[in-house]
Structure formats: C-alpha cells, structure tokens
Amino acid sequence: MARTSPTEVTGYRNDGVGTAVALVNAVTADAPVPTPEALGALLTSYNFKVDHPLTEDEAEALRLWARRLRPVFAENDEARAVDLLNTVMGEVPMHPHISDHGEGPHLHYGPPGAALVDRVRANTAVGLAFVICEYGAGRLGVCPDAACERVYADISRGPRRRYCSKTCLNRNTVAAYRARRAAPPAGTEPS
Ligand SMILES: [Zn+2]
Ligand SMILES: [Zn+2]
C-alpha cells in the first residue's frame, strides 16, 4: 500500500515533519549536541536552502527550537499537545504565500525572504500541526525503549507504530518474548 509522503501532508517541498523529528532527535536524544556544521548538513539533507555556514547563534536558536518542539511529541493528552503546539507556533512569523523558485508553485509558511531559522521554525511547526489535525496527536510520540529517547511521527496508513525505528521495535519484541518464556506458568507459584 502506498505511504502518504510528507510532501503530500504538508504541501511543501521540504519535509517539515521529517525535519522536526530529525532536529528534535539530533538535539535532545543523540549525543553529542550538534554543531552548527552538523545542523546545516541536517537541514540541507531535508532540502532546505542553506546558503551560508550556520553561525553559533543560528545553531543555538535551532537547538532551542528543538527543545520547544520535544514536549509536543512527549505529551499524551491531545488537547495539551494542541495547546503546546499552538503556543510555539504563535511565536513564529507566519505569512503563507505561494512561491516558485524553479520547483513549481508551492506553499511557503513564513514571510517572503524569511531567515533560515524562521523558515525551519515555520515549516516544522506547520508540519506537526498537519500531523495532529490529519492523524491525531497520538501519531507523535517518544520511543518507549528504555535506552532510547528518540521521537517519531507516524503518518503511515498501516497499524500504529510505537517505536522510533525497526531496531528498537525488534529489540523490545525479543525482550518481551524472553520475559514471557522466563515467567513461570500460571498456577505454579509456590504457596
Ligand atoms: Zn520553496
Ligand atoms: Zn527508539
């Protein structure tokens, strides 16, 4: 079955949802804290136009943004997740407009000429808003693996996903199977 691509979800040529997940994980889950160079490479890999080496100020603004987005993934209550995202989205300059810079007409959320950090903030916030509105806040989560702090966004059509990756899913499936086998069968507990 075809997967809904993030581009279809957000109507944008950058993958705002994927960028949000990658940024939050790079800053809040994976050591070490990403350098300006690493953040620039991350954004380039998500198709952002990065036309200069990131400054330390820009990197710090992106790290701060990642820490602001993380609670949206961690919140289990949908109404509170909506409140959190609405609050952070309200801090971002928004000026939706159609742009065409050689890629065909597509929607930009920030003001024309917005700086890189604001483009990232607008794009990731709107991406997550689409996930909540289209799929529900339950599709944003933090991996339940005990040794993992990575977040995920699940916009597949299939059964809901709970782990950040196949690696975490497989490790926990095996561990749960071993735990069941190690448990004494019911009714044999010493009295
Ligand atoms: Zn564009
Ligand atoms: Zn994980």
Side-chain angles (χ1 to χ4, degrees):
M1 174 171 285
R3 246 179 113 95
T4 307
S5 88
T7 306
E8 288 170 60
V9 174
T10 62
Y12 198 93
R13 296 300 159 93
N14 305 60
D15 171 6
V17 181
T19 309
V21 169
L23 192 59
V24 171
N25 283 336
V27 172
T28 70
D30 300 339
V33 174
T35 60
E37 294 73 31
L39 287 168
L42 184 155
L43 295 179
T44 302
S45 77
Y46 279 92
N47 208 25
F48 280 87
K49 196 166 137 247
V50 181
D51 57 7
H52 61 277
L54 265 65
T55 64
E56 181 50 40
D57 280 355
E58 287 175 311
E60 194 47 33
L62 289 168
R63 294 181 200 120
L64 188 65
W65 181 244
R67 293 184 198 110
R68 301 277 284 135
L69 290 184
R70 184 176 178 93
V72 178
F73 289 87
E75 180 56 68
N76 289 320
D77 182 82
E78 177 144 312
R80 284 204 295 268
V82 165
D83 278 351
L84 282 171
L85 186 55
N86 273 339
T87 301
V88 293
M89 201 156 36
E91 299 167 5
V92 182
M94 295 283 185
H95 182 149
H97 62 282
I98 297 167
S99 182
D100 182 351
H101 38 92
E103 299 181 18
H106 58 282
L107 197 54
H108 278 194
Y109 304 116
L116 177 63
V117 171
D118 279 340
R119 280 188 277 134
V120 173
R121 298 202 303 165
N123 192 227
T124 50
V126 173
L128 296 183
F130 270 108
V131 174
I132 290 180
C133 296
E134 299 287 315
Y135 300 87
R139 295 300 192 105
L140 303 175
V142 179
C143 184
D145 181 272
C148 181
E149 297 185 315
R150 293 170 69 82
V151 302
Y152 62 84
D154 175 16
I155 53 170
S156 60
R157 290 181 198 275
R160 270 215 47 205
R161 174 181 140 181
R162 282 183 61 234
Y163 290 90
C164 74
S165 62
K166 275 213 159 62
T167 311
C168 281
L169 170 65
N170 291 341
R171 183 167 53 232
N172 284 273
T173 306
V174 170
Y177 174 75
R178 289 207 179 115
R180 274 197 306 275
R181 290 199 43 170
T188 61
E189 293 90 343
S191 51

